[in-house]
């Protein structure tokens, strides 16, 4: 407790005195904060482990947290982080994570008394469907003709209620293309400015991040873009359109010049999965282009012209899992695989699970996740009837998914936890997802989601895929996370690990 109070007091003083410059310029201070942060994370997650999680999972969580902090420290040493950004990071940490204020405790208590759970941690919001690209396999089926947009007053209300009801200080903005959002004379960065105690991450194609946009982001401080790439120029332009890759490199340059930390977002398909975790790829984006973080998403067969032919094979899924652990432990990069990294999030975090999120699209439709396009509620309609964000959360459809998450492992003793490498209901347990969809008569978000429901071959293919994954990956879950045996690092099939 003494160590936590000391850490909190330092951060609080930094916020009070505008300590962004101090953090950026003072290497010794950052090393102290890194050391204390690591000690606190290890004590909380591994030693105390209040929820009695499998211990190897907890160690991996500490490692990934440290990787992100160490990479942020590296970018500060390189002069690639503006003081305004550093100040915003500390402010959000203090207001949302480190110091549990009286208001925070009261809000959490009130939520738990009503719902029997602690609140979600964030929202994923797609404020507009409009996009300037027309990408193959887009999960949102976005294009330049799409006009659907969340009106600014409603978007602003959602963000205020998220803070008021959930104590949430993190928002993910996706799309469509976030930088095309326009409503009542305001754009998406006006929204960010309206909520300075919220940290925003945008999933963006990057083509609209001009020098002027990068300057605005640096001035705000509380926003970071995760820019979509599919590999190098050939792979990116093939999916996203000729010339896209060069515009992305220009965006990287603009962000570096203004000291705005950025990440990358990748989509693993059958043709590019190995490339996205190759040494050449990692070196280019993390060492040369200076990305601070990355997210790898495996193609989910929804959206524009969905097809099982793009889905990575079970063998590729295993390869990505094993390679990811090398990237985590030996390269020490923050580059989680959204599906294979279930151990880092204690399983599926959709449907408003504790520490998780809900997804709201441009029409107000609320789904468990962007990749789970089925819904029983629309937030526009809830507001019209006098309800609020908690009424959206309190849907039997979402609660059924939360109960499945509990039973699969979130509320179970360590030796009975389900395989978190396969923690996603709609991707890894499709039969479970379909049963819940059917039971609550959840409506498809769009025509593509409707077609997937009606396609018998789709159902058959997804279920067969899940059975193959289980057979292949269950032994790794048991050996690594339940028994603590790291047996596969010497395997000759894996590429040589090069220290970074």
């Amino acid at each position: 407790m003494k160590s936590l109070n000391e850490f909190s007091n330092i951060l609080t003083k930094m916020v009070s005195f505008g300590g962004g410059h101090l953090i950026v310029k003072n290497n010794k201070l950052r090393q102290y904060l890194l050391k204390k942060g690591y000690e606190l994370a290890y004590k909380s997650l591994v030693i105390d482990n209040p929820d009695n999680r499998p211990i190897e999972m907890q160690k991996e969580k500490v490692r990934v947290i440290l990787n992100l902090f160490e990479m942020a420290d590296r970018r500060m040493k390189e002069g690639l982080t503006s003081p305004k950004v550093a100040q915003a990071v500390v402010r959000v940490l203090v207001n949302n994570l480190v110091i549990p204020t009286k208001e925070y405790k009261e809000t959490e208590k009130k939520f738990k008394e009503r719902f029997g759970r602690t609140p979600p941690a964030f929202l994923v919001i797609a404020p507009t469907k409009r996009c300037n690209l027309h990408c193959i396999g887009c999960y949102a089926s976005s294009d330049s003709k799409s006009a659907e947009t969340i009106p600014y007053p409603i978007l602003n209300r959602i963000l205020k209620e998220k803070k008021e009801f959930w104590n949430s200080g993190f928002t993910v903005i996706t799309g469509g293309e976030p930088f095309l959002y326009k409503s009542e004379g305001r754009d998406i960065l006006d929204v960010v400015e309206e909520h300075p105690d919220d940290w925003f991450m945008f999933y963006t194609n990057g083509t609209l991040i001009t020098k002027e946009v990068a300057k605005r982001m640096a001035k705000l401080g509380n926003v970071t873009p995760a820019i979509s790439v599919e590999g190098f120029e050939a792979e990116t332009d093939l999916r996203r359109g000729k010339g896209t890759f060069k515009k992305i490199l220009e965006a990287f340059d603009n962000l570096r010049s203004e000291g705005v930390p950025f990440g990358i977002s990748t989509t693993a398909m059958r043709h590019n999965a190995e490339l996205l975790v190759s040494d050449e790829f990692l070196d280019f984006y993390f060492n040369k282009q200076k990305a601070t973080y990355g997210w790898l998403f495996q193609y989910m067969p929804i959206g524009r012209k969905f097809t099982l032919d793009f889905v990575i094979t079970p063998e590729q899924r295993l390869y990505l899992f094993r390679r990811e652990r090398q990237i985590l432990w030996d390269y020490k990069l923050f580059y989680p695989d959204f599906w294979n990294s279930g151990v880092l999030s204690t399983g599926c975090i959709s449907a408003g699970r504790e520490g998780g999120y809900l997804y709201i699209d441009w029409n107000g439709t609320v789904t468990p996740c962007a990749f789970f396009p089925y819904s029983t509620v629309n937030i526009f309609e809830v507001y019209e009837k006098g309800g609020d964000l908690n009424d959206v959360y309190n849907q039997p459809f979402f609660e059924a998914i939360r109960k499945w998450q509990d039973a699969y492992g979130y509320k179970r003793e360590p030796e009975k936890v389900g395989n978190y490498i396969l923690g996603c209901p709609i991707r890894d347990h499709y039969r479970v997802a379909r049963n819940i969809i059917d039971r609550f008569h959840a409506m498809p978000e769009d025509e593509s989601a409707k077609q997937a429901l009606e396609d018998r071959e789709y159902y058959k293919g997804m279920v067969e895929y899940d059975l193959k994954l289980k057979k292949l990956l269950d032994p790794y879950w048991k050996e690594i996370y339940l028994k603590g045996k790291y047996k596969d690092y010497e395997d000759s099939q894996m590429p040589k690990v090069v220290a970074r």
Side-chain angles (χ1 to χ4, degrees), residues 184-286:
E184 301 189 7
R186 298 176 187 253
D187 62 24
I188 198 64
L189 292 181
D190 291 322
V191 176
V192 172
E193 186 174 8
E194 187 84 9
H195 299 272
D197 287 332
D198 210 339
W199 183 265
F200 291 84
M201 182 175 71
F202 292 179
Y203 284 111
T204 169
N205 62 45
T207 61
L208 302 177
I209 302 178
T210 62
K211 291 181 180 180
E212 291 70 26
V213 169
K215 285 181 186 294
R216 285 187 67 192
M217 295 172 77
K219 184 178 180 181
L220 292 168
N222 61 325
V223 57
T224 177
I227 298 175
S228 299
V229 296
E230 310 299 328
F232 297 108
E233 184 169 18
E235 295 81 15
T236 300
D237 283 4
L238 176 65
R239 186 181 187 206
R240 298 184 173 272
K242 188 174 177 59
T244 301
F245 185 75
K246 289 180 180 178
K247 291 180 181 178
I248 288 172
L249 295 187
E250 290 175 9
F252 288 164
D253 187 47
N254 294 335
L255 293 164
R256 287 193 301 266
S257 297
E258 297 300 328
V260 179
F262 62 88
I264 57 170
S265 172
T266 63
T267 302
M269 297 185 180
R270 201 165 295 184
H271 71 281
N272 72 340
E274 291 84 0
L275 174 64
L276 297 180
V277 291
S278 66
D279 275 1
E280 295 79 10
F281 180 89
L282 300 173
D283 181 58
F284 180 77
Y285 286 102
F286 289 97

Side-chain angles (χ1 to χ4, degrees), residues 26 70 157 170 195 199 224 284 292 296 307 315 320 351 436:
N26 193 320
E70 287 181 345
R157 178 180 173 181
F170 180 53
H195 299 272
W199 183 265
T224 177
F284 180 77
T292 299
L296 189 149
T307 172
E315 291 74 21
L320 288 182
I436 296 175

